[in-house]
Structure formats: structure tokens, C-alpha cells
Amino acid sequence: MTTTRGSSRGFSRRSVLLGAGAVMATAGCNLVGGGGDDPTDAGSTSGGEGGGLSGEITVALVPDPPGASEFYRAQFDLFQEANPGVTVNIIENPADQQLNALELMFQQGEGPDVMRVQGGAALTRFYDRGWVASLDDLVNDDFTARFPEGSLEPTSSGLHREGKLVSIPLVWGDWGYTHLWLYNTDILAENGYDGPPETWEEMVEMATTITENGGGSVFGVAPVAPQYFIEVVQPFAQKPGVNVTTGEPDLANPNVVAAVEVWRQLQANGVNMPGWESWDGGRPFTEFAAGRLAMYPTATWHVAEVRKLAPDIGMGIAPIPVPESGRLAYAARSAAHQPIWSMSAESANTDLALAAMDFLGSVDFYKAYYEEFGSFTASQVAWEDQAQENEDQAGILAVAATDIRTAPNPELLAQGAEAFWADAGGNADLDVKNAYLESIVSNVDYEPLAAAIDTQVEALIVQYEAENADLRSQLTFADWDPLEDYTA
């Protein structure tokens, strides 16, 4: 049986020089099956009929979304059944403690064999410290066929460092970039509305009416993810907050100020659902499913969670509202994939760890994850036919098709800017989230809060320019139109 134990511990960050370079699509071994022409046969959970593997590995993961603990245990039980000589030990860490825990484990010489690295910034840091192994031995035609065509290019995949594949994704590349306006069709109808708001102004009017009519039991809206609201006017609203068309810090951009002001006024007028600022990650979809919250901006995975809690709820999915004057930007796609799983460079059982990585990147694993959680996984062949037949999922795909644009990513494209980009992106003091939350909750002006962060970002740019005089130009893609896909 798979064993599980918990852990939580501490950490910090650093940066790395990333190279362009090309990955050699070697005919490397596929240790966990595959080899056929049909990508849906590649990397089956059978583990390649055993393959003579034996030994013990440790996998450090994050048990989210709800139910993930049981899912991962069941999946690794399948992996062990197919490899009778193998034992998989699982360490679970809360999402907000995973990176701290991994850092400490490596510092103590007890790093796991396989781990969730939780995104590009952490992958860069771990790679810089020599903790992440190359996965190039997995790359062959069968492996490549599991993912969308062209999405494993080293300069744009998000999974490569210095031209080497060092991570594999879990969910669909656009899953994290797609942001939705979720609304309760029944509540809207009861208040005289036959569709969701398309503009900020309509949103304010509808939310105010619903809250006023709700009598303290139903509320129009909650700003649980105001950054999704901001990104329709400014594609650089997240860390490190540099406008890549100018190379200048731009968190105090007037358009962002206007977006935050919408939420601040709703809060001041008592329209937002009370207490939203202290909710945990599951509270928004819980309140929505209970019929107490009419609308909110959300990530894609909330859709399935709402449907689990309230199978018959009238749930609508729409794009994020834009200013009446029109949108100025789209959600920015900075890489084809989000890196999640990586293999330790210090593993004492590399063949087995590599087999586990192949298993986690198999079509069967992706299909099982999709069927369990309703999340689109990185292998579209595992779910795309089923998704189009599901009204909720088709709604997510429709928004994704219209509301995302590829943006230039200095961390992947501008050789020399990577260190600054990673350092600034990992600095909690430069996180604009704190500024807009303080503005909305405390009813204070957002502009001076954001301007103070811009000043810190500028100082960091100047600091890095001491060793890299070309940094500003490396951060600048002046020809890019945020309303269009960036093409190198």
C-alpha cells in the first residue's frame, strides 16, 4: 500500500540564468509503457508491466483540490500494482507550506525523489540550486504526442531550463490563465436580469440591486479575485509589475487604479458580501453553491466544485466584465504550461523516479485526474471530446478561446533578464495583491500604495543594472500590442 505522512517546514528564494538552447528529442526510454502510435496508449498506468523496477521512492505533493489525497493514493497504488517491487511513500504538505518543506528537506539531505514544485518561480529557484533533474530521457515521439502540438518548445513551454526539460505539467496550459465571471442565473432572473454583466458599470448596477433586494441573505458580488478584474485593462498587474511594452514599473497605472476603485466603492457602499477578505480558498464556491452569492470573478476549478455542492444550481459562465470604454488587455499567457512535477537531482533511485514522472505525465493519469476533479489536464487528448459535451466545461473553453492572449515572458525570452524577473517575482514585498486588498478593505486610495511598490521595483531594476546594463531593454517588448498574441 501507498503510505502517507504529513510535513510542514520553512524556506527562501533565488534566481537563475536560463538559456534558450534546444532540447534534443531523443529516442529515450519510456519507462512506464507507451511506445505505440496512439498517444492515448502512451504512458499507461500499468507501469509497463513491471519493467523489472524495484525499490522505494518518496513523493512530496500537495493534497489539493479537495479529495486529492485519496486520488493520489489510489493512483500510486495502481503504479505499485504494476510494479510489484516498488514502494511509493507520499508526503503531503499544505499548498502554502509545500515549498518551505521542500527547501528544508533538501537542506537536510532528505529531498524527495519526486515533488510538486508549484510553478515557474519555484522551479527556477530549485533548478538554480541543483535540486532538479533533467527529464530529457522521457522525451520521445510518444511522450510529445501526449501534449498539444508545439507546446514543448524549450523557449515557450515553461517546463524547460537551459534547454532541458525539468518539469511536467498537471493541468491544461490555459487552465490557470482562464478567468471567469460566475453567476447564478436564478438570482439574476429574480432581480430582473436575463444575463451577466458585460461591463464594469453593469456589474456595479446589478450587484447593488441584488444586495439591496437580498435583505442580508443574498449578496450581489464578492471581490475574491480582483486581479482578474484588473487584467482586462492591464496585463502586467501581477508580480513583478513591469510593463513589458515600456520596461517600466506600472502597478499604479491609472487603468488599474480605476479597476480597484470599482471594488473599493462597492465595499464602501456595503454591496460586497461581508467577510470575503478572510475567506479560505473554498469559501467563495461554497457561498455561491448555497445561493448566498450571486456573482464573483473566479478561477476555472471553482466550476466543478460548485457543481459538486449544488448539482442543479443555475450556474452561468461568462467573460470578466470590461470597462464601458472597452478592454485594453487580455489575460496574459506567459508560457504554454505551468510546471508542477519535478524529479530530484539527488534521487538515489533515478530509474524508478523517472518511471514515476512518466506515470504522472501519462494519458491515463491525466484522464483519471480530469474525470475525478473536472479539471482540464495538460494532455488534451485525455479529455477534449468529453469536455465539449459538458455544458460547464464547454463554457470554460469558450471563455478561454476569447479572453487569453500570449504575452512576452522576459524570464523565458530575454537572456539576461531572468535573474531580475525571478527575484522580483518571488519578493513578497512587491506583491501588489497586498496593495489592492488594503485599498478595498480599508477604503484608502490605491494609487499611493501601488506607487510605493513601483518605487521598490524601480530600485531593484537599478540594482540589477549595475551588473546588467542592458536589463531595461531586455524587459521591453515595445512592438507588442496587448490586444494581440505576442509572436517572437
Side-chain angles (χ1 to χ4, degrees):
M1 290 291 292
T2 303
T3 57
T4 305
R5 59 189 171 93
S7 174
S8 62
R9 313 168 229 196
F11 120 107
S12 83
R13 82 155 280 106
R14 230 308 268 152
S15 56
V16 71
L17 287 178
L18 305 175
V23 159
M24 296 294 291
T26 65
C29 58
N30 183 337
L31 296 174
V32 188
D37 294 332
D38 183 350
T40 60
D41 293 333
S44 76
T45 53
S46 68
E49 300 300 329
L53 293 171
S54 63
E56 186 171 336
I57 59 170
T58 299
V59 178
L61 55 79
V62 174
D64 67 12
S69 290
E70 295 78 9
F71 172 79
Y72 284 124
R73 280 196 291 272
Q75 287 296 308
F76 280 115
D77 283 348
L78 291 175
F79 180 70
Q80 291 175 141
E81 289 171 10
N83 298 277
V86 169
T87 298
V88 177
N89 299 306
I90 295 178
I91 296 175
E92 294 184 354
N93 295 301
D96 61 352
Q97 298 176 21
Q98 167 76 346
L99 300 182
N100 295 2
L102 291 176
E103 179 110 355
L104 189 58
M105 292 171 74
F106 278 107
Q107 289 173 347
Q108 295 176 340
E110 298 176 351
D113 299 277
V114 171
M115 54 202 166
R116 276 186 60 151
V117 296
Q118 303 295 92
L123 175 62
T124 296
R125 180 172 65 253
F126 285 12
Y127 179 82
D128 189 35
R129 296 180 178 183
W131 294 339
V132 175
S134 168
L135 304 174
D136 283 351
D137 282 348
L138 289 178
V139 181
N140 57 22
D141 290 344
D142 291 324
F143 182 84
T144 301
R146 303 174 197 176
F147 304 97
E149 185 176 359
S151 68
L152 294 184
E153 291 296 324
T155 56
S156 59
S157 76
L159 309 174
H160 291 74
R161 296 294 183 268
E162 296 187 307
K164 298 187 290 287
L165 181 70
V166 292
S167 187
I168 59 174
L170 176 59
V171 295
W172 176 48
D174 285 348
W175 186 255
Y177 303 122
T178 303
H179 303 136
L180 313 167
W181 189 259
L182 214 59
Y183 63 99
N184 184 311
T185 58
D186 294 330
I187 294 178
L188 263 62
E190 291 165 3
N191 286 273
Y193 302 110
D194 59 5
E198 297 182 358
T199 67
W200 293 357
E201 293 77 4
E202 290 177 359
M203 186 276 280
V204 169
E205 192 276 325
M206 292 173 66
T208 301
T209 298
I210 292 169
T211 294
E212 288 176 350
N213 292 341
S217 299
V218 178
F219 294 86
V221 74
V224 291
Q227 66 272 28
Y228 302 161
F229 210 72
I230 293 169
E231 68 191 10
V232 301
V233 293
Q234 219 267 41
F236 329 106
Q238 303 301 305
K239 293 182 294 182
V242 174
N243 183 331
V244 295
T245 65
T246 64
E248 304 293 334
D250 200 21
L251 294 174
N253 181 301
N255 297 312
V256 179
V257 174
V260 176
E261 185 66 14
V262 169
W263 290 112
R264 184 163 79 102
Q265 289 303 316
L266 287 171
Q267 183 79 3
N269 294 335
V271 176
N272 293 332
M273 190 168 187
W276 63 270
E277 63 272 19
S278 59
W279 287 355
D280 62 25
R283 186 69 175 274
F285 60 74
T286 301
E287 295 291 347
F288 184 89
R292 294 188 287 266
L293 176 62
M295 306 180 289
Y296 71 105
T298 182
T300 44
W301 64 276
H302 283 211
V303 172
E305 297 303 320
V306 169
R307 192 59 76 189
K308 288 177 186 175
L309 294 174
D312 298 325
I313 192 172
M315 178 167 57
I317 298 170
I320 299 293
V322 301
E324 197 164 68
S325 56
R327 73 161 64 236
L328 300 173
Y330 291 87
R333 179 194 294 112
S334 57
H337 294 288
Q338 294 293 318
I340 292 294
W341 299 104
S342 284
M343 186 176 92
S344 169
E346 299 176 0
S347 174
N349 196 339
T350 55
D351 285 350
L352 181 50
L354 198 61
M357 291 295 297
D358 198 25
F359 167 74
L360 292 167
S362 68
V363 171
D364 284 351
F365 178 83
Y366 284 130
K367 184 178 181 62
Y369 192 94
Y370 164 76
E371 292 180 343
E372 179 66 24
F373 301 111
S375 300
F376 302 152
T377 48
S379 179
Q380 287 185 223
V381 296
W383 53 261
E384 56 188 353
D385 290 341
Q386 286 178 260
Q388 291 294 353
E389 297 177 357
N390 180 301
E391 184 176 355
D392 293 344
Q393 295 174 5
I396 295 172
L397 291 174
V399 173
T402 60
D403 279 27
I404 301 174
R405 295 293 183 273
T406 298
N409 183 348
E411 192 172 21
L412 300 177
L413 295 170
Q415 190 167 8
E418 310 91 330
F420 162 79
W421 198 261
D423 199 7
N427 188 334
D429 292 337
L430 305 182
D431 191 344
V432 72
K433 178 181 179 182
N434 298 326
Y436 58 67
L437 289 181
E438 180 179 351
S439 174
I440 296 168
V441 175
S442 303
N443 194 19
V444 297
D445 288 343
Y446 165 79
E447 194 276 339
L449 300 174
I453 299 175
D454 280 342
T455 299
Q456 295 181 68
V457 174
E458 175 62 25
L460 190 62
I461 292 174
V462 172
Q463 176 185 326
Y464 271 82
E465 283 181 322
E467 295 185 359
N468 177 12
D470 296 329
L471 176 61
R472 191 87 57 175
S473 63
Q474 292 165 351
L475 297 175
T476 305
F477 300 80
D479 294 336
W480 178 52
D481 178 355
L483 294 175
E484 303 292 338
D485 282 315
Y486 173 78
T487 55

